[in-house]
Amino acid sequence: MAANVHIIAQTGFGTGTNELYDRIRPSYPSESLSYIRQLPKSTAPLNIVEIGAGTGIFSRALLTHPEWATSIGALRAIEPSVGMRDFWTKTIKDNRAAIVEGTFDNTGIEDGWADLIVIAQAFHWCLDHGKALAEFARILNKDGAVVLIWNLEDREAAGWVAQLCNRREAHENGTPQLRLNLLRQSFSTPGYTSLFHPMEEREWSYYALTTEQIVTERQLSWSYISVLPPDEKAKVVEDVKVILERGDGKVWINKGEGTYQYPYRTLVVVSRKK
């Protein structure tokens, strides 16, 4: 993996972690993909760059979405992790799409090629916003835009979700996470405003069907949890079980089958090139 990738991303998303990540992380609401489809000013077929493409969760959603299916000319995915690239290659068989090694500030894409850059669940790992923004502006065409998208657990929607987040975040230890206020500050600096228009934000709330196993594995899929020693990881699992058994604010879908709502928010941030 590239040297300018955070050490926790290198280890927490290394070989052997990718199957769990891909299986347990949610996809994206159809409404958010419909919204993103309305952003490009260019006519189809569109050239899309996806940076930090990971195991391909967003790539697959984009390639199969009805409003995108006939709109994509080429999807060029960029991912620094060899394990994630291998998984992406195994799960995506589409002659419009390919994945290569690269980072936020070193994509290898030609000047002005992209109609749209999408970064799903990854921009918080960017170590140098200034260099990344310069790279984005370089590879976008004159009407291009950058889209950042995150699926976020909605800790305001249920007590058990807030408790899960608090328990898990005890192990963050400075690992980069989405902090929206810090992102807004970064995107108000001269390095941003000289290249892009003011950021636009949209948000959707939704619920995924879940079970105790899914929630537990979801916690284990976080990079800073996956690198914990076995005894600490076991304690996280134990505490998750206690939180879920207490179930503050849990909304059952089918109690007999053990299914209930996992509340999420999907955040989209758009930056249009000047």
Side-chain angles (χ1 to χ4, degrees):
M1 192 181 285
N4 57 341
V5 176
H6 195 281
I7 185 62
I8 294 297
Q10 294 185 40
T11 54
F13 296 137
T15 301
T17 66
N18 310 127
E19 183 176 359
L20 173 64
Y21 184 97
D22 191 80
R23 174 166 52 83
I24 217 66
R25 292 295 181 108
S27 190
Y28 297 85
S30 180
E31 308 95 292
S32 64
L33 294 170
S34 296
Y35 171 72
I36 295 170
R37 177 62 189 90
Q38 305 307 312
L39 297 174
K41 293 182 179 179
S42 306
T43 55
L46 300 170
N47 289 334
I48 313 296
V49 174
E50 184 187 352
I51 307 175
T55 60
I57 295 173
F58 185 85
S59 307
R60 296 193 299 270
L62 197 72
L63 289 164
T64 58
H65 190 273
E67 293 175 46
W68 279 98
T70 59
S71 301
I72 298 172
L75 170 62
R76 294 169 69 174
I78 312 293
E79 171 56 48
S81 164
V82 63
M84 284 193 160
R85 288 199 308 274
D86 287 347
F87 197 97
W88 190 102
T89 301
K90 291 174 185 175
T91 58
I92 296 178
K93 306 296 182 184
D94 190 310
N95 59 16
R96 298 170 297 171
I99 191 166
V100 297
E101 182 177 7
T103 59
F104 295 111
D105 57 10
N106 185 13
T107 63
I109 303 292
E110 307 92 287
D111 291 0
W113 182 85
D115 296 301
L116 196 69
I117 297 170
V118 182
I119 303 169
Q121 215 76 19
F123 191 68
H124 53 281
W125 289 107
C126 182
L127 299 180
D128 190 323
H129 284 187
K131 288 182 179 179
L133 292 168
E135 177 74 349
F136 300 165
R138 182 188 69 77
I139 68 175
L140 282 171
N141 65 29
K142 62 183 180 63
D143 294 320
V146 181
V147 176
L148 314 179
I149 182 168
W150 285 272
N151 276 328
L152 307 168
E153 293 160 302
D154 192 348
R155 64 202 306 160
E156 305 298 323
W160 69 267
V161 178
Q163 293 158 24
L164 273 184
C165 294
N166 291 338
R167 175 62 185 89
R168 183 185 68 236
E169 289 166 0
H171 296 281
E172 276 188 4
N173 293 323
T175 302
Q177 302 297 322
L178 171 62
R179 302 285 187 254
L180 191 52
N181 287 337
L182 292 178
L183 183 68
R184 289 174 179 143
Q185 291 174 23
S186 180
F187 280 19
S188 63
T189 62
Y192 175 89
T193 58
S194 64
L195 299 171
F196 294 93
H197 292 285
M199 59 187 276
E200 308 162 29
E201 299 176 34
R202 284 288 302 270
E203 191 173 296
W204 295 264
S205 295
Y206 75 102
Y207 299 95
L209 180 148
T210 199
T211 64
E212 181 176 330
Q213 180 179 350
I214 291 171
V215 174
T216 303
E217 291 184 336
R218 174 76 169 88
Q219 307 317 300
L220 296 175
S221 76
W222 286 78
S223 56
Y224 55 84
I225 299 297
S226 70
V227 299
L228 289 176
D231 59 331
E232 290 188 48
K233 201 178 292 186
K235 186 63 170 66
V236 171
V237 171
E238 181 182 323
D239 291 347
V240 167
K241 184 178 179 63
V242 171
I243 290 168
L244 296 181
E245 286 179 348
R246 190 165 54 237
D248 294 342
K250 183 184 287 184
V251 178
W252 290 100
I253 295 173
N254 188 318
K255 194 168 185 178
E257 296 178 357
T259 59
Y260 47 96
Q261 294 180 351
Y262 201 150
Y264 280 94
R265 297 182 296 120
T266 297
L267 171 69
V268 170
V269 174
V270 180
S271 299
R272 301 177 190 269
K273 183 178 175 180
K274 285 185 171 178

